[in-house]
Amino acid sequence: MATHTTRMLIIGSGPAGLSAAIYGARAGLQPIVVQGLQPGGQLTITTDVENYPGFRDVIQGPWLMQEMEAQAVHVGTRMLWDTIVSVGLDGPTFRAIGDGGDVYEGDTLVIATGAQAKWLGVPGEMELSGKGVSACATCDGFFYRGKKVVVIGGGNTAVEEALYLTNHSQDVTLIHRRDSLRAEKILQDRLFAHPNVKVVWNKRVERFVGDAETGELRGVAVIDTETGEESEIGTDGAFVAIGHAPATSLFEGKLDTDESGYLIVEPGTPKTKIPGVFACGDVMDHTYRQAVTAAGTGCMAALDAERYLAAKDFAEAEQGLAAE
């Protein structure tokens, strides 16, 4: 067991955590990034990335994260492999304990633990992920221009995804297992009024069906929740939109969360209620959930952490002078 100390401790290694690391390292803070169970975050399970600025051609998610990590290391970040099992936020030094007993201490803490899309857990879902099945319309909708798509869900996320997809497709079907939606009425009104969207009620998705020749998604097998009748809805793309689960269990009882479990920050900043503790990326953003916005908030967290430390150092220096 070892103790690792740093001026900036970062938990999470997706676009938010690595961007914070790059800015922190360039400020001389020698950040430590604890990578967690999914180093690189959600982009490591994303294939084609076409909306991250700076690349004219489609790039691969894992490659992008490898480059971000290499850049962070190049400017002075220490990357450590561990899974954090508990944190102490009482200060003045923030502590995190790894599952092997290692201790990580930081004068500031940047939380970039991200969020995971909720999946249905039915056959074919993971096998066809990236081959027609997705959990992010704004990420992947562009690839289905002029094609038939379905969205699965009944809340705000599902309705918003369906409406977004009408920018690319003239044939959008929303599949819901009940006979009414949970989404806000204004969103429902927009959905029902859109000529390119139809809603299929009382249908539960049983499995995703792939084409034996191409290996791509062919359709969605559903069961009628009232009659038990089985059928298949043909589609080129299926978007699972049943919400996201932010990785905030470490901070229960220590930091405030909203009704969906996302960490609450001071509006327009990554600052939590505890000075010196910052949250960035999908763990605090339930609205945009994009790699580029996560990277932006990671930058903000590092800049705010640097300012926090500068003010703290100045105050301590003044106290030292006064004591002489």
Side-chain angles (χ1 to χ4, degrees), residues 42 114-119 134-139 156-158 160-161 239-248 258-262 282-283 285-290:
Q42 293 184 78
Q116 295 289 336
K118 294 179 182 177
W119 295 95
S134 171
C136 181
T138 50
C139 305
N156 284 352
T157 299
E160 288 169 351
E161 299 265 274
F239 294 85
V240 179
I242 56 174
H244 288 73
T248 54
D258 66 14
E259 65 277 2
S260 300
Y262 291 84
D282 286 9
V283 76
D285 172 22
H286 53 71
T287 304
Y288 302 104
R289 297 192 302 267
Q290 299 297 302

PDB file of all heavy atoms in Angstrom, residues 42 114-119 134-139 156-158 160-161 239-248 258-262 282-283 285-290:
ATOM      1  N   GLN A  42     -16.660   6.718 -21.735  1.00  0.00           N
ATOM      2  CA  GLN A  42     -17.604   6.141 -22.689  1.00  0.00           C
ATOM      3  C   GLN A  42     -17.091   6.136 -24.126  1.00  0.00           C
ATOM      4  O   GLN A  42     -17.532   5.319 -24.940  1.00  0.00           O
ATOM      5  CB  GLN A  42     -18.936   6.898 -22.628  1.00  0.00           C
ATOM      6  CG  GLN A  42     -19.678   6.722 -21.318  1.00  0.00           C
ATOM      7  CD  GLN A  42     -21.029   7.400 -21.336  1.00  0.00           C
ATOM      8  OE1 GLN A  42     -21.983   6.897 -21.895  1.00  0.00           O
ATOM      9  NE2 GLN A  42     -21.100   8.572 -20.729  1.00  0.00           N
ATOM     10  N   GLY A 114     -18.150  10.552 -14.580  1.00  0.00           N
ATOM     11  CA  GLY A 114     -18.994  10.309 -15.732  1.00  0.00           C
ATOM     12  C   GLY A 114     -20.354   9.723 -15.419  1.00  0.00           C
ATOM     13  O   GLY A 114     -20.830   9.708 -14.281  1.00  0.00           O
ATOM     14  N   ALA A 115     -20.982   9.229 -16.464  1.00  0.00           N
ATOM     15  CA  ALA A 115     -22.300   8.600 -16.366  1.00  0.00           C
ATOM     16  C   ALA A 115     -22.370   7.508 -17.417  1.00  0.00           C
ATOM     17  O   ALA A 115     -21.666   7.547 -18.424  1.00  0.00           O
ATOM     18  CB  ALA A 115     -23.410   9.619 -16.583  1.00  0.00           C
ATOM     19  N   GLN A 116     -23.224   6.556 -17.163  1.00  0.00           N
ATOM     20  CA  GLN A 116     -23.418   5.463 -18.112  1.00  0.00           C
ATOM     21  C   GLN A 116     -24.853   5.478 -18.622  1.00  0.00           C
ATOM     22  O   GLN A 116     -25.781   5.682 -17.846  1.00  0.00           O
ATOM     23  CB  GLN A 116     -23.142   4.114 -17.429  1.00  0.00           C
ATOM     24  CG  GLN A 116     -21.705   3.931 -16.984  1.00  0.00           C
ATOM     25  CD  GLN A 116     -20.753   3.728 -18.157  1.00  0.00           C
ATOM     26  OE1 GLN A 116     -21.173   3.300 -19.227  1.00  0.00           O
ATOM     27  NE2 GLN A 116     -19.497   4.025 -17.959  1.00  0.00           N
ATOM     28  N   ALA A 117     -25.004   5.263 -19.911  1.00  0.00           N
ATOM     29  CA  ALA A 117     -26.354   5.114 -20.459  1.00  0.00           C
ATOM     30  C   ALA A 117     -26.985   3.858 -19.879  1.00  0.00           C
ATOM     31  O   ALA A 117     -26.314   2.845 -19.676  1.00  0.00           O
ATOM     32  CB  ALA A 117     -26.299   5.025 -21.978  1.00  0.00           C
ATOM     33  N   LYS A 118     -28.263   3.945 -19.585  1.00  0.00           N
ATOM     34  CA  LYS A 118     -28.998   2.761 -19.133  1.00  0.00           C
ATOM     35  C   LYS A 118     -29.404   1.950 -20.369  1.00  0.00           C
ATOM     36  O   LYS A 118     -29.883   2.502 -21.357  1.00  0.00           O
ATOM     37  CB  LYS A 118     -30.246   3.182 -18.351  1.00  0.00           C
ATOM     38  CG  LYS A 118     -29.935   3.876 -17.039  1.00  0.00           C
ATOM     39  CD  LYS A 118     -31.221   4.288 -16.329  1.00  0.00           C
ATOM     40  CE  LYS A 118     -30.936   5.034 -15.040  1.00  0.00           C
ATOM     41  NZ  LYS A 118     -32.194   5.493 -14.372  1.00  0.00           N
ATOM     42  N   TRP A 119     -29.193   0.659 -20.282  1.00  0.00           N
ATOM     43  CA  TRP A 119     -29.514  -0.227 -21.401  1.00  0.00           C
ATOM     44  C   TRP A 119     -30.684  -1.123 -21.039  1.00  0.00           C
ATOM     45  O   TRP A 119     -31.005  -1.295 -19.858  1.00  0.00           O
ATOM     46  CB  TRP A 119     -28.292  -1.062 -21.782  1.00  0.00           C
ATOM     47  CG  TRP A 119     -27.158  -0.244 -22.311  1.00  0.00           C
ATOM     48  CD1 TRP A 119     -26.096   0.242 -21.616  1.00  0.00           C
ATOM     49  CD2 TRP A 119     -26.985   0.210 -23.660  1.00  0.00           C
ATOM     50  NE1 TRP A 119     -25.267   0.970 -22.444  1.00  0.00           N
ATOM     51  CE2 TRP A 119     -25.782   0.962 -23.703  1.00  0.00           C
ATOM     52  CE3 TRP A 119     -27.726   0.044 -24.838  1.00  0.00           C
ATOM     53  CZ2 TRP A 119     -25.308   1.545 -24.867  1.00  0.00           C
ATOM     54  CZ3 TRP A 119     -27.253   0.636 -26.002  1.00  0.00           C
ATOM     55  CH2 TRP A 119     -26.058   1.364 -26.019  1.00  0.00           C
ATOM     56  N   SER A 134     -27.589   2.215 -30.578  1.00  0.00           N
ATOM     57  CA  SER A 134     -26.878   3.326 -29.947  1.00  0.00           C
ATOM     58  C   SER A 134     -27.686   3.830 -28.761  1.00  0.00           C
ATOM     59  O   SER A 134     -28.872   3.520 -28.622  1.00  0.00           O
ATOM     60  CB  SER A 134     -26.675   4.463 -30.956  1.00  0.00           C
ATOM     61  OG  SER A 134     -26.165   5.638 -30.340  1.00  0.00           O
ATOM     62  N   ALA A 135     -27.023   4.596 -27.905  1.00  0.00           N
ATOM     63  CA  ALA A 135     -27.729   5.245 -26.797  1.00  0.00           C
ATOM     64  C   ALA A 135     -27.573   6.757 -26.875  1.00  0.00           C
ATOM     65  O   ALA A 135     -27.815   7.449 -25.891  1.00  0.00           O
ATOM     66  CB  ALA A 135     -27.210   4.726 -25.452  1.00  0.00           C
ATOM     67  N   CYS A 136     -27.188   7.277 -28.040  1.00  0.00           N
ATOM     68  CA  CYS A 136     -26.965   8.726 -28.160  1.00  0.00           C
ATOM     69  C   CYS A 136     -27.284   9.192 -29.570  1.00  0.00           C
ATOM     70  O   CYS A 136     -26.468   9.015 -30.493  1.00  0.00           O
ATOM     71  CB  CYS A 136     -25.520   9.072 -27.795  1.00  0.00           C
ATOM     72  SG  CYS A 136     -25.162  10.845 -27.875  1.00  0.00           S
ATOM     73  N   ALA A 137     -28.453   9.810 -29.733  1.00  0.00           N
ATOM     74  CA  ALA A 137     -28.860  10.290 -31.051  1.00  0.00           C
ATOM     75  C   ALA A 137     -27.987  11.439 -31.531  1.00  0.00           C
ATOM     76  O   ALA A 137     -27.648  11.509 -32.718  1.00  0.00           O
ATOM     77  CB  ALA A 137     -30.325  10.715 -31.028  1.00  0.00           C
ATOM     78  N   THR A 138     -27.615  12.349 -30.631  1.00  0.00           N
ATOM     79  CA  THR A 138     -26.789  13.477 -31.055  1.00  0.00           C
ATOM     80  C   THR A 138     -25.388  13.029 -31.442  1.00  0.00           C
ATOM     81  O   THR A 138     -24.702  13.712 -32.196  1.00  0.00           O
ATOM     82  CB  THR A 138     -26.715  14.545 -29.951  1.00  0.00           C
ATOM     83  OG1 THR A 138     -26.367  13.917 -28.714  1.00  0.00           O
ATOM     84  CG2 THR A 138     -28.039  15.254 -29.795  1.00  0.00           C
ATOM     85  N   CYS A 139     -24.966  11.866 -30.920  1.00  0.00           N
ATOM     86  CA  CYS A 139     -23.652  11.334 -31.296  1.00  0.00           C
ATOM     87  C   CYS A 139     -23.719  10.634 -32.652  1.00  0.00           C
ATOM     88  O   CYS A 139     -22.828  10.809 -33.493  1.00  0.00           O
ATOM     89  CB  CYS A 139     -23.154  10.330 -30.251  1.00  0.00           C
ATOM     90  SG  CYS A 139     -23.105  10.948 -28.558  1.00  0.00           S
ATOM     91  N   ASN A 156     -38.491  12.215 -21.116  1.00  0.00           N
ATOM     92  CA  ASN A 156     -37.961  13.378 -21.837  1.00  0.00           C
ATOM     93  C   ASN A 156     -36.830  12.998 -22.788  1.00  0.00           C
ATOM     94  O   ASN A 156     -36.757  13.487 -23.918  1.00  0.00           O
ATOM     95  CB  ASN A 156     -37.457  14.424 -20.847  1.00  0.00           C
ATOM     96  CG  ASN A 156     -38.579  15.196 -20.176  1.00  0.00           C
ATOM     97  OD1 ASN A 156     -39.743  15.054 -20.548  1.00  0.00           O
ATOM     98  ND2 ASN A 156     -38.241  16.007 -19.202  1.00  0.00           N
ATOM     99  N   THR A 157     -35.934  12.129 -22.308  1.00  0.00           N
ATOM    100  CA  THR A 157     -34.788  11.741 -23.128  1.00  0.00           C
ATOM    101  C   THR A 157     -35.245  11.131 -24.443  1.00  0.00           C
ATOM    102  O   THR A 157     -34.750  11.488 -25.515  1.00  0.00           O
ATOM    103  CB  THR A 157     -33.894  10.741 -22.374  1.00  0.00           C
ATOM    104  OG1 THR A 157     -33.408  11.358 -21.177  1.00  0.00           O
ATOM    105  CG2 THR A 157     -32.714  10.301 -23.228  1.00  0.00           C
ATOM    106  N   ALA A 158     -36.192  10.211 -24.375  1.00  0.00           N
ATOM    107  CA  ALA A 158     -36.662   9.529 -25.576  1.00  0.00           C
ATOM    108  C   ALA A 158     -37.316  10.497 -26.556  1.00  0.00           C
ATOM    109  O   ALA A 158     -37.061  10.450 -27.769  1.00  0.00           O
ATOM    110  CB  ALA A 158     -37.638   8.423 -25.198  1.00  0.00           C
ATOM    111  N   GLU A 160     -36.931  13.779 -26.755  1.00  0.00           N
ATOM    112  CA  GLU A 160     -35.917  14.689 -27.288  1.00  0.00           C
ATOM    113  C   GLU A 160     -35.072  14.009 -28.361  1.00  0.00           C
ATOM    114  O   GLU A 160     -34.752  14.611 -29.398  1.00  0.00           O
ATOM    115  CB  GLU A 160     -35.034  15.205 -26.151  1.00  0.00           C
ATOM    116  CG  GLU A 160     -35.739  16.201 -25.238  1.00  0.00           C
ATOM    117  CD  GLU A 160     -34.941  16.490 -23.978  1.00  0.00           C
ATOM    118  OE1 GLU A 160     -33.935  15.793 -23.731  1.00  0.00           O
ATOM    119  OE2 GLU A 160     -35.330  17.411 -23.238  1.00  0.00           O
ATOM    120  N   GLU A 161     -34.707  12.748 -28.123  1.00  0.00           N
ATOM    121  CA  GLU A 161     -33.915  12.006 -29.114  1.00  0.00           C
ATOM    122  C   GLU A 161     -34.716  11.819 -30.402  1.00  0.00           C
ATOM    123  O   GLU A 161     -34.185  11.981 -31.504  1.00  0.00           O
ATOM    124  CB  GLU A 161     -33.517  10.643 -28.552  1.00  0.00           C
ATOM    125  CG  GLU A 161     -32.664  10.711 -27.300  1.00  0.00           C
ATOM    126  CD  GLU A 161     -31.176  10.640 -27.578  1.00  0.00           C
ATOM    127  OE1 GLU A 161     -30.649   9.524 -27.671  1.00  0.00           O
ATOM    128  OE2 GLU A 161     -30.549  11.701 -27.696  1.00  0.00           O
ATOM    129  N   PHE A 239     -32.248   3.520 -31.126  1.00  0.00           N
ATOM    130  CA  PHE A 239     -31.660   4.352 -30.085  1.00  0.00           C
ATOM    131  C   PHE A 239     -32.363   4.072 -28.756  1.00  0.00           C
ATOM    132  O   PHE A 239     -33.553   4.327 -28.607  1.00  0.00           O
ATOM    133  CB  PHE A 239     -31.773   5.828 -30.462  1.00  0.00           C
ATOM    134  CG  PHE A 239     -30.944   6.188 -31.665  1.00  0.00           C
ATOM    135  CD1 PHE A 239     -31.459   6.009 -32.948  1.00  0.00           C
ATOM    136  CD2 PHE A 239     -29.652   6.653 -31.524  1.00  0.00           C
ATOM    137  CE1 PHE A 239     -30.694   6.303 -34.067  1.00  0.00           C
ATOM    138  CE2 PHE A 239     -28.881   6.956 -32.642  1.00  0.00           C
ATOM    139  CZ  PHE A 239     -29.392   6.777 -33.908  1.00  0.00           C
ATOM    140  N   VAL A 240     -31.596   3.525 -27.821  1.00  0.00           N
ATOM    141  CA  VAL A 240     -32.121   3.239 -26.484  1.00  0.00           C
ATOM    142  C   VAL A 240     -32.053   4.533 -25.681  1.00  0.00           C
ATOM    143  O   VAL A 240     -30.974   5.093 -25.485  1.00  0.00           O
ATOM    144  CB  VAL A 240     -31.304   2.121 -25.799  1.00  0.00           C
ATOM    145  CG1 VAL A 240     -31.847   1.852 -24.398  1.00  0.00           C
ATOM    146  CG2 VAL A 240     -31.323   0.859 -26.644  1.00  0.00           C
ATOM    147  N   ALA A 241     -33.200   5.011 -25.235  1.00  0.00           N
ATOM    148  CA  ALA A 241     -33.271   6.319 -24.572  1.00  0.00           C
ATOM    149  C   ALA A 241     -34.074   6.204 -23.281  1.00  0.00           C
ATOM    150  O   ALA A 241     -35.153   6.763 -23.150  1.00  0.00           O
ATOM    151  CB  ALA A 241     -33.886   7.351 -25.508  1.00  0.00           C
ATOM    152  N   ILE A 242     -33.538   5.451 -22.349  1.00  0.00           N
ATOM    153  CA  ILE A 242     -34.241   5.252 -21.076  1.00  0.00           C
ATOM    154  C   ILE A 242     -33.488   5.907 -19.918  1.00  0.00           C
ATOM    155  O   ILE A 242     -33.712   5.573 -18.757  1.00  0.00           O
ATOM    156  CB  ILE A 242     -34.471   3.754 -20.803  1.00  0.00           C
ATOM    157  CG1 ILE A 242     -33.157   2.979 -20.815  1.00  0.00           C
ATOM    158  CG2 ILE A 242     -35.437   3.182 -21.832  1.00  0.00           C
ATOM    159  CD1 ILE A 242     -33.315   1.517 -20.416  1.00  0.00           C
ATOM    160  N   GLY A 243     -32.598   6.841 -20.262  1.00  0.00           N
ATOM    161  CA  GLY A 243     -31.927   7.619 -19.228  1.00  0.00           C
ATOM    162  C   GLY A 243     -30.473   7.243 -19.023  1.00  0.00           C
ATOM    163  O   GLY A 243     -29.941   6.334 -19.673  1.00  0.00           O
ATOM    164  N   HIS A 244     -29.835   7.971 -18.126  1.00  0.00           N
ATOM    165  CA  HIS A 244     -28.433   7.756 -17.782  1.00  0.00           C
ATOM    166  C   HIS A 244     -28.285   7.636 -16.267  1.00  0.00           C
ATOM    167  O   HIS A 244     -29.114   8.139 -15.511  1.00  0.00           O
ATOM    168  CB  HIS A 244     -27.562   8.910 -18.285  1.00  0.00           C
ATOM    169  CG  HIS A 244     -27.375   8.924 -19.770  1.00  0.00           C
ATOM    170  ND1 HIS A 244     -28.391   9.297 -20.622  1.00  0.00           N
ATOM    171  CD2 HIS A 244     -26.310   8.596 -20.546  1.00  0.00           C
ATOM    172  CE1 HIS A 244     -27.942   9.208 -21.876  1.00  0.00           C
ATOM    173  NE2 HIS A 244     -26.700   8.786 -21.851  1.00  0.00           N
ATOM    174  N   ALA A 245     -27.231   6.964 -15.861  1.00  0.00           N
ATOM    175  CA  ALA A 245     -26.947   6.791 -14.433  1.00  0.00           C
ATOM    176  C   ALA A 245     -25.583   7.396 -14.125  1.00  0.00           C
ATOM    177  O   ALA A 245     -24.548   6.825 -14.487  1.00  0.00           O
ATOM    178  CB  ALA A 245     -26.969   5.315 -14.060  1.00  0.00           C
ATOM    179  N   PRO A 246     -25.549   8.587 -13.491  1.00  0.00           N
ATOM    180  CA  PRO A 246     -24.258   9.192 -13.147  1.00  0.00           C
ATOM    181  C   PRO A 246     -23.550   8.385 -12.062  1.00  0.00           C
ATOM    182  O   PRO A 246     -24.188   7.820 -11.170  1.00  0.00           O
ATOM    183  CB  PRO A 246     -24.653  10.587 -12.646  1.00  0.00           C
ATOM    184  CG  PRO A 246     -26.059  10.430 -12.174  1.00  0.00           C
ATOM    185  CD  PRO A 246     -26.690   9.398 -13.067  1.00  0.00           C
ATOM    186  N   ALA A 247     -22.227   8.319 -12.160  1.00  0.00           N
ATOM    187  CA  ALA A 247     -21.427   7.544 -11.204  1.00  0.00           C
ATOM    188  C   ALA A 247     -21.123   8.396  -9.971  1.00  0.00           C
ATOM    189  O   ALA A 247     -20.051   8.985  -9.839  1.00  0.00           O
ATOM    190  CB  ALA A 247     -20.137   7.066 -11.866  1.00  0.00           C
ATOM    191  N   THR A 248     -22.100   8.467  -9.073  1.00  0.00           N
ATOM    192  CA  THR A 248     -21.978   9.349  -7.906  1.00  0.00           C
ATOM    193  C   THR A 248     -22.084   8.617  -6.578  1.00  0.00           C
ATOM    194  O   THR A 248     -22.155   9.260  -5.529  1.00  0.00           O
ATOM    195  CB  THR A 248     -23.076  10.436  -7.949  1.00  0.00           C
ATOM    196  OG1 THR A 248     -24.359   9.800  -8.074  1.00  0.00           O
ATOM    197  CG2 THR A 248     -22.872  11.379  -9.123  1.00  0.00           C
ATOM    198  N   ASP A 258     -28.977  16.148  -7.706  1.00  0.00           N
ATOM    199  CA  ASP A 258     -30.347  16.482  -8.089  1.00  0.00           C
ATOM    200  C   ASP A 258     -31.210  15.224  -8.078  1.00  0.00           C
ATOM    201  O   ASP A 258     -30.756  14.148  -7.678  1.00  0.00           O
ATOM    202  CB  ASP A 258     -30.382  17.199  -9.449  1.00  0.00           C
ATOM    203  CG  ASP A 258     -29.924  16.307 -10.599  1.00  0.00           C
ATOM    204  OD1 ASP A 258     -29.838  15.069 -10.416  1.00  0.00           O
ATOM    205  OD2 ASP A 258     -29.665  16.848 -11.690  1.00  0.00           O
ATOM    206  N   GLU A 259     -32.461  15.356  -8.526  1.00  0.00           N
ATOM    207  CA  GLU A 259     -33.392  14.233  -8.442  1.00  0.00           C
ATOM    208  C   GLU A 259     -32.968  13.054  -9.311  1.00  0.00           C
ATOM    209  O   GLU A 259     -33.401  11.917  -9.076  1.00  0.00           O
ATOM    210  CB  GLU A 259     -34.801  14.681  -8.846  1.00  0.00           C
ATOM    211  CG  GLU A 259     -34.973  15.126 -10.293  1.00  0.00           C
ATOM    212  CD  GLU A 259     -34.559  16.568 -10.521  1.00  0.00           C
ATOM    213  OE1 GLU A 259     -34.091  17.232  -9.563  1.00  0.00           O
ATOM    214  OE2 GLU A 259     -34.706  17.054 -11.660  1.00  0.00           O
ATOM    215  N   SER A 260     -32.106  13.289 -10.285  1.00  0.00           N
ATOM    216  CA  SER A 260     -31.630  12.211 -11.151  1.00  0.00           C
ATOM    217  C   SER A 260     -30.280  11.659 -10.717  1.00  0.00           C
ATOM    218  O   SER A 260     -29.738  10.759 -11.365  1.00  0.00           O
ATOM    219  CB  SER A 260     -31.546  12.696 -12.603  1.00  0.00           C
ATOM    220  OG  SER A 260     -32.821  13.111 -13.063  1.00  0.00           O
ATOM    221  N   GLY A 261     -29.728  12.220  -9.644  1.00  0.00           N
ATOM    222  CA  GLY A 261     -28.468  11.713  -9.118  1.00  0.00           C
ATOM    223  C   GLY A 261     -27.220  12.427  -9.590  1.00  0.00           C
ATOM    224  O   GLY A 261     -26.102  12.052  -9.205  1.00  0.00           O
ATOM    225  N   TYR A 262     -27.375  13.465 -10.417  1.00  0.00           N
ATOM    226  CA  TYR A 262     -26.208  14.212 -10.905  1.00  0.00           C
ATOM    227  C   TYR A 262     -25.705  15.169  -9.818  1.00  0.00           C
ATOM    228  O   TYR A 262     -26.509  15.742  -9.068  1.00  0.00           O
ATOM    229  CB  TYR A 262     -26.562  15.020 -12.155  1.00  0.00           C
ATOM    230  CG  TYR A 262     -26.828  14.157 -13.372  1.00  0.00           C
ATOM    231  CD1 TYR A 262     -28.078  13.587 -13.590  1.00  0.00           C
ATOM    232  CD2 TYR A 262     -25.827  13.911 -14.297  1.00  0.00           C
ATOM    233  CE1 TYR A 262     -28.321  12.792 -14.700  1.00  0.00           C
ATOM    234  CE2 TYR A 262     -26.060  13.125 -15.411  1.00  0.00           C
ATOM    235  CZ  TYR A 262     -27.307  12.561 -15.609  1.00  0.00           C
ATOM    236  OH  TYR A 262     -27.541  11.773 -16.701  1.00  0.00           O
ATOM    237  N   ASP A 282     -19.934  14.413 -17.517  1.00  0.00           N
ATOM    238  CA  ASP A 282     -21.280  13.850 -17.448  1.00  0.00           C
ATOM    239  C   ASP A 282     -21.767  13.602 -16.031  1.00  0.00           C
ATOM    240  O   ASP A 282     -22.968  13.398 -15.820  1.00  0.00           O
ATOM    241  CB  ASP A 282     -21.339  12.540 -18.229  1.00  0.00           C
ATOM    242  CG  ASP A 282     -21.327  12.758 -19.734  1.00  0.00           C
ATOM    243  OD1 ASP A 282     -21.104  13.904 -20.159  1.00  0.00           O
ATOM    244  OD2 ASP A 282     -21.530  11.792 -20.484  1.00  0.00           O
ATOM    245  N   VAL A 283     -20.885  13.601 -15.044  1.00  0.00           N
ATOM    246  CA  VAL A 283     -21.329  13.379 -13.668  1.00  0.00           C
ATOM    247  C   VAL A 283     -22.144  14.560 -13.142  1.00  0.00           C
ATOM    248  O   VAL A 283     -22.907  14.415 -12.185  1.00  0.00           O
ATOM    249  CB  VAL A 283     -20.111  13.089 -12.750  1.00  0.00           C
ATOM    250  CG1 VAL A 283     -19.341  14.380 -12.433  1.00  0.00           C
ATOM    251  CG2 VAL A 283     -20.537  12.393 -11.468  1.00  0.00           C
ATOM    252  N   ASP A 285     -23.531  16.892 -15.725  1.00  0.00           N
ATOM    253  CA  ASP A 285     -24.214  17.450 -16.895  1.00  0.00           C
ATOM    254  C   ASP A 285     -25.232  16.450 -17.426  1.00  0.00           C
ATOM    255  O   ASP A 285     -24.882  15.486 -18.089  1.00  0.00           O
ATOM    256  CB  ASP A 285     -23.172  17.774 -17.975  1.00  0.00           C
ATOM    257  CG  ASP A 285     -23.819  18.169 -19.299  1.00  0.00           C
ATOM    258  OD1 ASP A 285     -24.994  18.595 -19.287  1.00  0.00           O
ATOM    259  OD2 ASP A 285     -23.134  18.067 -20.340  1.00  0.00           O
ATOM    260  N   HIS A 286     -26.503  16.688 -17.139  1.00  0.00           N
ATOM    261  CA  HIS A 286     -27.539  15.796 -17.653  1.00  0.00           C
ATOM    262  C   HIS A 286     -28.213  16.366 -18.894  1.00  0.00           C
ATOM    263  O   HIS A 286     -29.191  15.804 -19.388  1.00  0.00           O
ATOM    264  CB  HIS A 286     -28.595  15.514 -16.584  1.00  0.00           C
ATOM    265  CG  HIS A 286     -29.203  16.738 -15.963  1.00  0.00           C
ATOM    266  ND1 HIS A 286     -30.057  17.561 -16.641  1.00  0.00           N
ATOM    267  CD2 HIS A 286     -29.041  17.275 -14.738  1.00  0.00           C
ATOM    268  CE1 HIS A 286     -30.414  18.558 -15.855  1.00  0.00           C
ATOM    269  NE2 HIS A 286     -29.817  18.414 -14.694  1.00  0.00           N
ATOM    270  N   THR A 287     -27.685  17.485 -19.400  1.00  0.00           N
ATOM    271  CA  THR A 287     -28.317  18.147 -20.537  1.00  0.00           C
ATOM    272  C   THR A 287     -27.617  17.848 -21.860  1.00  0.00           C
ATOM    273  O   THR A 287     -28.255  17.455 -22.839  1.00  0.00           O
ATOM    274  CB  THR A 287     -28.348  19.675 -20.328  1.00  0.00           C
ATOM    275  OG1 THR A 287     -29.018  19.969 -19.105  1.00  0.00           O
ATOM    276  CG2 THR A 287     -29.064  20.364 -21.486  1.00  0.00           C
ATOM    277  N   TYR A 288     -26.308  18.014 -21.903  1.00  0.00           N
ATOM    278  CA  TYR A 288     -25.584  17.927 -23.174  1.00  0.00           C
ATOM    279  C   TYR A 288     -24.907  16.573 -23.382  1.00  0.00           C
ATOM    280  O   TYR A 288     -25.008  15.977 -24.434  1.00  0.00           O
ATOM    281  CB  TYR A 288     -24.559  19.059 -23.267  1.00  0.00           C
ATOM    282  CG  TYR A 288     -25.196  20.412 -23.153  1.00  0.00           C
ATOM    283  CD1 TYR A 288     -25.111  21.158 -21.980  1.00  0.00           C
ATOM    284  CD2 TYR A 288     -25.944  20.936 -24.205  1.00  0.00           C
ATOM    285  CE1 TYR A 288     -25.728  22.393 -21.864  1.00  0.00           C
ATOM    286  CE2 TYR A 288     -26.562  22.171 -24.101  1.00  0.00           C
ATOM    287  CZ  TYR A 288     -26.442  22.900 -22.923  1.00  0.00           C
ATOM    288  OH  TYR A 288     -27.051  24.119 -22.806  1.00  0.00           O
ATOM    289  N   ARG A 289     -24.139  16.110 -22.398  1.00  0.00           N
ATOM    290  CA  ARG A 289     -23.521  14.781 -22.418  1.00  0.00           C
ATOM    291  C   ARG A 289     -22.729  14.521 -23.697  1.00  0.00           C
ATOM    292  O   ARG A 289     -22.859  13.479 -24.330  1.00  0.00           O
ATOM    293  CB  ARG A 289     -24.587  13.697 -22.229  1.00  0.00           C
ATOM    294  CG  ARG A 289     -25.303  13.753 -20.896  1.00  0.00           C
ATOM    295  CD  ARG A 289     -26.113  12.501 -20.643  1.00  0.00           C
ATOM    296  NE  ARG A 289     -27.095  12.237 -21.655  1.00  0.00           N
ATOM    297  CZ  ARG A 289     -28.361  12.642 -21.601  1.00  0.00           C
ATOM    298  NH1 ARG A 289     -28.790  13.316 -20.565  1.00  0.00           N
ATOM    299  NH2 ARG A 289     -29.186  12.352 -22.575  1.00  0.00           N
ATOM    300  N   GLN A 290     -21.900  15.468 -24.083  1.00  0.00           N
ATOM    301  CA  GLN A 290     -21.048  15.310 -25.257  1.00  0.00           C
ATOM    302  C   GLN A 290     -19.582  15.340 -24.838  1.00  0.00           C
ATOM    303  O   GLN A 290     -19.218  15.956 -23.834  1.00  0.00           O
ATOM    304  CB  GLN A 290     -21.315  16.421 -26.276  1.00  0.00           C
ATOM    305  CG  GLN A 290     -22.740  16.455 -26.797  1.00  0.00           C
ATOM    306  CD  GLN A 290     -23.103  15.209 -27.557  1.00  0.00           C
ATOM    307  OE1 GLN A 290     -22.466  14.852 -28.540  1.00  0.00           O
ATOM    308  NE2 GLN A 290     -24.141  14.517 -27.102  1.00  0.00           N
TER     309      GLN A 290
END
